[in-house]
Amino acid sequence: MKKIRISNYEHIVILTGAGISKASGIPTFRGEGGLWNDEETKHLLVIDEFYKRPDVIWNFLGSIKEKVLNASPNIVHNVLSEIEKTAKKFTLITQNIDGLHQKAGSKNVIELHGSLLRTRCSNGECNLPVFDDYNVYSKAPRCSICNAILRPDIVFFNEHLGGTDFLAKVALRDCDLYLAIGTSGSVAPASNFARGADYAGARTILINMEEVENPYFHEKILGKAEEIIPILFE
Ligand code: NAD
């Protein structure tokens, strides 16, 4: 494996997915041991389902949130936080909703799919600001202002991303090194980022447990991120 010299690059963009938090005890959706190996679970994170069965979805997310609250960042989160300090320009984009990058000290994190550690009102007209929320719910909590159900500040399937994808695409425009780590690459728009980076002329690398079919990755390193990342950079 050829080492990456951080100082050789003007703008490093990194995309992370659920695979990097597996070593911290948070299950992935896809892949071995993934939550979606259970057919029922697969449909729970669609926005229509949330409004049909908010108690069930809050309860399901509660079980993940409990793991998230007890989790510590692992070596991958820590190395990425260190790179931010030394790179000339660095953008960290994550699909994860677990807040572990911030816990590891990363400052500039684009959370594409929001965060399980924030809650907001489901009523778009309500003035309740989005708030940090470390409570674990077994049923849907209600808004203290308008009594509508509260929702986690995450992006459900079939919902828009609300602008974070724009920030990510702006970062990709001038990147010269792009790495996707621990992501199955099957959720748009993140699945298209390798193409954007390739278009910008960047070197593109995938680091994942399993093969991802995407012609825009120039290099692929298959294996555990927590074993690869600590020895990949110099
Ligand atoms: P995914 O669950 O679809 O896929 C994870 C990928 O990581 C798989 O391809 C798997 O083979 C790989 N992987 C597993 N362990 C690994 C390891 N140790 N090292 C390297 N790779 C490993 O994840 P995704 O592509 O990020 O899915 C996107 C959706 O899943 C997002 O919407 C995200 O919000 C959500 N999600 C987030 C979390 C979290 O916040 N930790 C957990 C589960 C799902």
Side-chain angles (χ1 to χ4, degrees):
M1 184 167 44
K2 205 166 154 239
K3 292 221 176 221
I4 295 172
R5 181 165 291 172
I6 294 169
S7 59
N8 281 354
Y9 295 94
E10 297 303 316
H11 186 187
I12 300 174
V13 175
I14 295 191
L15 169 73
T16 62
I20 76 152
S21 292
K22 202 173 168 188
S24 293
I26 303 167
T28 57
F29 281 171
R30 300 175 186 82
E32 201 191 322
L35 291 169
W36 281 4
N37 294 334
D38 172 7
E39 272 303 310
E40 164 70 9
T41 313
K42 212 168 188 171
H43 307 290
L44 287 180
L45 293 183
V46 179
I47 189 62
D48 292 351
E49 281 304 308
F50 175 74
Y51 286 114
K52 270 190 232 155
R53 304 189 284 165
D55 289 343
V56 173
I57 278 79
W58 267 112
N59 187 44
F60 166 68
L61 288 173
S63 63
I64 301 179
K65 196 170 179 180
E66 226 155 21
K67 290 190 174 78
V68 164
L69 289 169
N70 289 320
S72 301
N74 63 58
I75 185 81
V76 181
H77 301 101
N78 292 337
V79 168
L80 297 184
S81 152
E82 286 306 309
I83 295 175
E84 181 174 17
K85 292 179 195 151
T86 53
K88 289 175 201 157
K89 187 175 174 190
F90 181 75
T91 305
L92 182 55
I93 308 166
T94 190
Q95 297 175 96
N96 294 346
I97 54 175
D98 56 27
L100 286 180
H101 284 303
Q102 290 89 337
K103 228 176 182 178
S106 288
K107 301 276 179 257
N108 182 16
V109 185
I110 300 175
E111 291 179 313
L112 269 189
H113 296 162
S115 174
L116 205 48
L117 302 176
R118 293 189 301 267
T119 297
R120 60 186 165 94
C121 185
S122 63
N123 169 9
E125 319 258 284
C126 179
N127 289 327
L128 185 81
V130 58
F131 61 97
D132 293 338
D133 189 354
Y134 305 104
N135 293 310
V136 173
Y137 302 99
S138 52
K139 58 183 206 156
R142 295 251 161 206
C143 176
S144 54
I145 297 178
C146 74
N147 203 37
I149 52 166
L150 295 178
R151 55 163 292 170
D153 190 29
I154 61 170
V155 178
F156 284 91
F157 286 96
N158 293 347
E159 270 197 305
H160 291 293
L161 264 67
T164 50
D165 52 336
F166 176 74
L167 295 176
K169 283 174 190 158
V170 169
L172 289 166
R173 277 186 209 154
D174 71 347
C175 80
D176 53 358
L177 175 66
Y178 171 77
L179 282 95
I181 313 172
T183 172
S184 59
S186 44
V187 182
S191 49
N192 300 322
F193 291 172
R195 183 179 173 188
D198 173 73
Y199 186 74
R203 177 183 175 192
T204 60
I205 307 173
L206 170 82
I207 295 150
N208 202 48
M209 278 286 274
E210 59 191 1
E211 171 68 79
V212 170
E213 294 300 337
N214 184 330
Y216 297 100
F217 283 114
H218 308 149
E219 296 158 63
K220 290 178 182 174
I221 308 171
L222 301 187
K224 289 187 174 169
E226 59 274 22
E227 291 171 3
I228 297 164
I229 295 298
I231 54 170
L232 186 60
F233 295 94
E234 60 180 359

